[in-house]
Structure formats: structure tokens, C-alpha cells
Amino acid sequence: MNIGQAANASGVSAKMIRYYEATGLIPAASRTDAGYRNYTENDVHVLRFVRRARDLGFSVAEIDGLLQLWRNRRRRSADVKRIALGHIEDLRQRITDMQEMAGTLQQLVMGCSGDDRPDCPILADLEQPSAAAAGEPKRRRGAVDEPGVRKRKTPRR
């Protein structure tokens, strides 16, 4: 099947399929004599796995590790569980961070008169240095550096 059919069957856009191939997350599809990508049912099965993992919020690096474990019939379920538990912890932290952001914004909005005057506590707060500017490192979403989650430097062939 061509890339459009694989995209429809898997729920992964053609653009993302190309991206996953380019980054080495999934192997490059075989090509027809005319140079078009040709996908098998197994390729679609892998793409569905990737789609479900993305729907659960796993990063590409985490999905790479999960795919490696999925393909390894001698895997330890403890390794899969460790990745999932780490992801749950990350999700909970992001929820906490977003709740704090919403609370801060709510306070700022409550302090804003919302009238014709130019004074605005929201803008005044935004012009203040952020925690990152004060030297706190910024956490990156999906940054993973754990055993079992290999960061690929070159695409698979």
C-alpha cells in the first residue's frame, strides 16, 4: 500500500510517517520501481503502535525504547513498566506545573481591571525575569536519558 493508504490505515499522517522514517524511529519503507514508498500490514501495525504511544503522550525517544522492547521477545516487562512509570511521573509533574501556571494567571487576571486604562498587571508580570533567566534550568518535555531508551544518532537502514 502507498503512504496515503498506510496513513489512513494507521491513523498517522503521511508527514509524520516520513518524519519517523527520517529520524530512524521506524525503518524506511521499501520502494516501488517508480520510487514510491510501499508499506506492508506489518508496517501499519508498527505505525499503529507508534500512534497509540503518541496518544498516551510518550516522546519519540520513549517510543523508540518501547519499540525496541516490543520487538525483543526476551524483554523484561520490568523495563517496560519502568518507562511507563517514568512517563506517569512526567505527566503528573506537567499537570502540577500547568495548574501552577493557571493559578498564577488567574491571580494576574483578577488583578487586572480590564478597562480603558493602560496599566496592566499581566504585562507588568510578564516583563519580570523568569525563573529560567534567574538560573533555573528549563525542563524539556520528553527529554529522556534512561537505560533502555536509546537515542539514535543515525537513521536505521
Side-chain angles (χ1 to χ4, degrees):
M1 71 184 80
N2 66 32
I3 195 166
Q5 293 165 325
N8 287 335
S10 67
V12 177
S13 71
K15 180 178 180 179
M16 289 308 297
I17 293 172
R18 287 186 206 96
Y19 170 76
Y20 295 147
E21 286 182 7
T23 60
L25 182 66
I26 61 172
S30 63
R31 299 280 183 151
T32 65
D33 290 338
Y36 292 104
R37 288 174 170 88
N38 187 35
Y39 294 90
T40 65
E41 286 299 322
N42 187 57
D43 294 329
V44 171
H45 190 59
V46 171
L47 288 167
R48 286 182 183 138
F49 180 100
V50 171
R51 171 61 193 253
R52 179 68 178 137
R54 290 299 288 168
D55 287 347
L56 291 172
F58 284 101
S59 69
V60 172
E62 289 167 324
I63 294 170
D64 185 38
L66 290 168
L67 279 169
Q68 289 175 46
L69 290 167
W70 183 49
R71 291 176 180 131
N72 179 357
R73 302 308 288 162
R74 295 187 309 203
R75 66 183 168 258
R76 293 173 2 121
S77 64
D79 294 334
V80 179
K81 185 174 183 176
R82 180 185 40 75
I83 293 170
L85 286 171
H87 184 61
I88 290 168
E89 184 178 318
D90 181 54
L91 288 172
R92 288 191 174 138
Q93 183 60 54
R94 284 192 273 156
I95 290 167
T96 298
D97 292 347
M98 285 191 258
Q99 288 172 333
E100 288 174 9
M101 286 186 278
T104 299
L105 282 170
Q106 185 64 46
Q107 286 180 326
L108 292 170
V109 166
M110 288 173 54
C112 180
S113 59
D115 56 20
D116 292 336
R117 294 181 303 175
D119 297 331
C120 180
I122 299 168
L123 294 176
D125 184 81
L126 292 174
E127 72 178 320
Q128 299 302 313
S130 68
E136 289 184 25
K138 182 180 179 193
R139 287 196 356 257
R140 291 182 14 232
R141 179 198 176 317
V144 176
D145 191 16
E146 299 179 27
V149 179
R150 186 180 67 201
K151 297 195 179 184
R152 190 175 318 283
K153 293 184 180 179
T154 57
R156 286 186 196 147
R157 298 286 172 207

